[in-house]
Amino acid sequence: MCGIVGYVGSRPAVDVIMGGLRRLEYRGYDSGGVALVTANGIASAKKAGKLVNLDGVLQENPLPASTTGVGHTRWATHGAPNDINAHPHLDASERIAVVHNGIIENFAVLRDELEDAGYDFVSETDSETVAHLLHRELQNRPDVTEAFRAVCRRLEGAFTLVVVDAQTPGRVLGARRNSPLVVGRGEGENFLGSDVAAFIEYTHTAIELGQDQVVEITADAVVVTDFDGQPVSTKEYTVDWDVSAAEKGGYDWFMLKEIHEQPQAIADTLLGRIGTDGRLQLDEMRLSDGELREVDKIIVIACGTSYYAGMVAKYAIEHWTRIPCEVELASEFRYRDPILDHTTLVVSISQSGETMDTLMAIRYAREQRARVLSICNTNGSTIPRESDAVIYTHAGPEIAVASTKGFLSQVVACYLLALYFAQVKGAKYGDEIQLILDELARIPQAVQQVLDNADQIHKLADRLSSNRSIMFLGRHVGYPVALEGALKLKELAYVHAEGFAAGELKHGPIAVIEDGVPVFVVVPPRARDQLQEKIVSNIQEVRARGARTIALVEEGDDTVVPYSDDVIRLPRVPTLLQPLVATVPLQLFACELATQLGHDVDQPRNLAKSVTVE
Ligand code: AGP
């Protein structure tokens, strides 16, 4: 997710901003930029790539001295990661500079409106809309803060915005909705940041902005209101983290931070998917409805955790669209001579967009005349560039080697794809699709509920930390969840862990069950009556052989309680969506167990974040 810094005070703003952006580098980004308020108006510089590129630009063409400005590191969502799409964005008169984090859901409507009013856009971003809107608003309301509030009232979606106005020097404005913004309070200087790492070098006094609030900072004052200009009370707090902890948002590990970011990652991945006609829209679909109607077979290819997201996808795709769907490891795909033609849609899933096995598989698929749609978290990476269509997950950069928010947002993107097919093929009525979208919209809250119960999982990890072998069982969509739980544990805790389809137990795996072996069991919601009963029998089977059983089961289902040593409660959600809540305790468990064993959770041995060799 983008990094944002705003500064007003007496120091050279460019130094404060560049320092802040460097401390926010951990968030991941693909371009950077800075804008200063100078005696001669806004002076700005921006550059694609790492901050060292922006440094180069600033050294070659230093910006005039200034003590007020904004800076940004961008993680591309709308538009490629290039110089033009980098922030800040200016209005045509170069009076306003805007930096933005998030997704402005109604930007297409606003852009049309502004273009009709004669505004020209230079970038492909949703963010530029704000600069032009603010310029237009200033024609009616001369006070920039008032005009800014009026702009915020028109925006839908998620945004952190930070703005400077050349005609109001010494003032920096910020606003937030569904995206973080923190104020840093100094002596004779004040700061804005997407998190405290932006200003921790200068002050440890911070104010967290609430939802739908606007802040105006000058060197000596911080004024916070709601979007209508009504004053709101704020509370200062002292940040007692050092710089490295601040980068991780106060968490011990990036992985833990990313686990806790999952409600937001899911919400962001769902944002902006409904068009003005109430129908599902997928921005970079690039395949026409006609082409999609021709699809008679879907093959999902991916590696590791992304492959498990694909396994979940199969259940949703086949159930909602009735299109046959296969799921295959990308590393195996092209070596088995798969049957492909132009009616086959190959769906690749990759968080990084650079995994070599997946890349080679999609190249092969396209050579065989199949169409390729990629689900990816990294805008501008190789796999989406080489695909016919893309659905970007909006999880923000994933730093920890073990994928967490990447996985959940991939699963959400797969559901969106399945529903889109159902819409295009007429396999579901609009109101049926809407019902599922409504259920999906409730998932961030459900995931939060699981996270709020993290303590129970930590205690469990403590009790199981001496076990050298742990099993995971699941059925239906719980099966890939079991596989993912086992993979997380292997990756992080270096413990022997295996996931099984519970129905397979009696065909072999039950032989390894002995006294005290912990077995996690993902219990399907009772809506899947037969399956639920069958898994209760499976729990009894392993328990009878001495296993220590840990049931992940929906609230209100007490049928497993007599056979479970531990019960982890999951919020009630529809069967097909259960992986989104059931995976989270397993991520927390692996992270905590690895921590207790003293391992480096973010950089496990022998593993790389992006596997760019076959
Ligand atoms: C998951 O925790 C992994 N580290 C790994 O399995 C990963 O999911 C796999 O390498 C695929 O990566 P990708 O999604 O970036 O293509």
Side-chain angles (χ1 to χ4, degrees):
M1 278 179 291
C2 313
I4 286 183
V5 188
Y7 176 72
V8 52
S10 53
R11 301 175 204 261
V14 71
D15 295 345
V16 176
I17 291 166
M18 289 302 288
L21 292 181
R22 268 183 219 106
R23 282 188 304 278
L24 294 173
E25 273 192 301
Y26 74 89
R27 297 168 74 96
Y29 65 100
D30 46 52
S31 56
V34 53
L36 306 177
V37 179
T38 76
N40 299 318
I42 301 279
S44 69
K46 49 192 195 170
K47 195 73 195 156
K50 292 290 159 198
L51 282 178
V52 62
N53 299 357
L54 179 62
D55 272 332
V57 173
L58 291 170
Q59 264 162 32
E60 244 172 67
N61 298 300
L63 297 178
S66 165
T67 56
T68 307
V70 296
H72 189 265
T73 45
R74 173 173 186 248
W75 174 261
T77 55
H78 291 77
N82 57 28
D83 290 357
I84 292 175
N85 290 333
H87 298 214
H89 290 286
L90 275 56
D91 69 301
S93 66
E94 302 199 347
R95 172 180 171 181
I96 300 292
V98 174
V99 296
H100 167 224
N101 174 30
I103 297 165
I104 296 170
E105 255 191 305
N106 58 337
F107 99 100
V109 176
L110 294 171
R111 188 176 173 132
D112 287 349
E113 183 186 309
L114 287 161
E115 281 176 340
D116 288 346
Y119 284 87
D120 290 326
F121 281 71
V122 292
S123 76
E124 303 160 277
T125 64
D126 52 343
S127 318
E128 190 185 341
T129 317
V130 178
H132 299 309
L133 270 182
L134 187 50
H135 174 270
R136 192 173 64 167
E137 205 55 51
L138 280 165
Q139 316 309 308
N140 306 324
R141 302 170 205 262
D143 180 75
V144 67
T145 312
E146 265 183 45
F148 182 54
R149 286 191 203 108
V151 168
C152 292
R153 291 197 291 271
R154 294 223 47 208
L155 304 178
E156 290 167 18
F159 49 87
T160 297
L161 293 165
V162 176
V163 168
V164 283
D165 170 22
Q167 291 183 21
T168 321
R171 200 190 297 183
V172 180
L173 304 176
R176 69 155 292 224
R177 168 182 290 164
N178 297 326
S179 175
L181 180 62
V182 191
V183 183
R185 257 205 126 117
E187 292 287 318
E189 60 184 353
N190 286 304
F191 307 78
L192 296 177
S194 31
D195 66 51
V196 295
F199 48 73
I200 195 96
E201 191 180 334
Y202 303 102
T203 178
H204 282 237
T205 307
I207 301 169
E208 198 145 328
L209 278 204
Q211 185 73 331
D212 284 7
Q213 293 183 353
V214 163
V215 60
E216 177 190 287
I217 58 166
T218 56
D220 302 308
V222 174
V223 179
V224 183
T225 66
D226 63 17
F227 283 179
D228 292 319
Q230 297 304 314
V232 292
S233 55
T234 56
K235 226 170 109 200
E236 280 186 5
Y237 63 97
T238 304
V239 183
D240 50 10
W241 310 325
D242 61 11
V243 173
S244 77
E247 287 179 346
K248 294 175 195 148
Y251 292 101
D252 291 343
W253 303 107
F254 280 114
M255 181 186 177
L256 201 51
K257 175 170 174 283
E258 286 158 9
I259 290 174
H260 283 268
E261 282 170 353
Q262 292 183 114
Q264 190 67 50
I266 294 172
D268 286 351
T269 302
L270 288 169
L271 260 184
R273 307 297 191 179
I274 306 291
T276 41
D277 57 0
R279 283 166 68 82
L280 196 54
Q281 64 178 19
L282 299 176
D283 269 3
E284 311 243 1
M285 173 45 83
R286 301 200 296 245
L287 291 172
S288 68
D289 287 2
E291 286 170 310
L292 291 177
R293 274 189 214 105
E294 277 174 24
V295 171
D296 59 13
K297 181 170 69 173
I298 293 175
I299 305 180
V300 183
I301 50 169
C303 303
T305 290
S306 302
Y307 171 70
Y308 299 144
M311 286 179 71
V312 176
K314 176 183 164 74
Y315 292 89
I317 290 172
E318 292 194 333
H319 188 60
W320 290 340
T321 71
R322 311 310 297 157
I323 304 170
C325 177
E326 296 168 22
V327 190
E328 179 144 11
L329 289 168
S331 53
E332 291 291 323
F333 178 68
R334 67 190 174 122
Y335 302 106
R336 72 159 170 102
D337 194 15
I339 300 164
L340 304 168
D341 63 26
H342 71 285
T343 62
T344 310
L345 182 71
V346 170
V347 175
S348 92
I349 307 178
S350 174
Q351 188 285 132
S352 63
E354 300 294 348
T355 301
M356 189 55 77
D357 289 311
T358 311
L359 179 61
M360 297 314 282
I362 68 160
R363 283 186 181 157
Y364 176 81
R366 293 190 82 201
E367 278 160 26
Q368 306 297 309
R369 298 181 50 243
R371 295 193 176 101
V372 173
L373 179 147
S374 290
I375 291 175
C376 186
N377 193 40
T378 312
N379 204 310
S381 56
T382 313
I383 290 173
R385 275 195 276 117
E386 295 201 12
S387 302
D388 299 298
V390 189
I391 301 176
Y392 283 112
T393 51
H394 295 300
E398 198 176 56
I399 312 283
V401 165
S403 184
T404 53
K405 62 178 182 171
F407 174 73
L408 290 201
S409 59
Q410 285 167 346
V411 171
V412 169
C414 290
Y415 292 147
L416 290 173
L417 175 65
L419 291 174
Y420 193 75
F421 260 109
Q423 175 177 284
V424 169
K425 291 221 169 203
K428 279 204 175 296
Y429 296 125
D431 57 344
E432 294 173 315
I433 294 174
Q434 191 54 52
L435 277 179
I436 301 170
L437 288 171
D438 292 345
E439 294 285 2
L440 277 169
R442 285 192 274 276
I443 293 290
Q445 209 187 343
V447 171
Q448 188 56 51
Q449 201 180 318
V450 179
L451 292 171
D452 292 343
N453 193 27
D455 252 10
Q456 184 198 1
I457 315 290
H458 293 168
K459 286 184 188 135
L460 184 65
D462 188 35
R463 290 199 296 277
L464 301 185
S465 59
S466 56
N467 284 82
R468 300 313 300 150
S469 183
I470 298 184
M471 303 293 157
F472 295 79
L473 297 181
R475 276 179 180 264
H476 192 257
V477 285
Y479 172 38
V481 173
L483 294 171
E484 172 61 4
L487 179 65
K488 283 283 123 9
L489 205 56
K490 279 186 267 218
E491 282 188 294
L492 302 176
Y494 319 144
V495 162
H496 170 239
E498 282 199 66
F500 297 110
E504 276 295 292
L505 257 187
K506 54 191 173 301
H507 300 290
I510 201 161
V512 300
I513 303 293
E514 55 188 31
D515 237 13
V517 172
V519 180
F520 283 79
V521 187
V522 185
V523 181
R526 274 172 305 173
R528 300 290 306 165
D529 38 3
Q530 271 179 322
L531 281 184
Q532 197 272 357
E533 282 164 23
K534 288 197 168 126
I535 214 153
V536 176
S537 313
N538 296 137
I539 300 179
Q540 289 171 274
E541 282 157 18
V542 291
R543 199 143 193 265
R545 286 155 182 88
R548 177 188 181 129
T549 52
I550 303 124
L552 288 90
V553 61
E554 70 177 0
E555 277 159 359
D557 180 354
D558 290 334
T559 51
V560 296
V561 174
Y563 321 109
S564 308
D565 295 288
D566 290 278
V567 174
I568 297 170
R569 290 295 180 182
L570 301 174
R572 295 188 73 166
V573 298
T575 303
L576 276 172
L577 308 192
Q578 200 200 31
L580 295 171
V581 290
T583 310
V584 180
L586 305 183
Q587 299 168 337
L588 287 166
F589 178 75
C591 183
E592 178 62 20
L593 195 72
T595 306
Q596 294 195 13
L597 294 175
H599 300 320
D600 182 339
V601 168
D602 287 333
Q603 304 278 341
R605 69 182 184 202
N606 305 339
L607 297 177
K609 182 67 185 159
S610 204
V611 185
T612 52
V613 289
E614 265 193 284

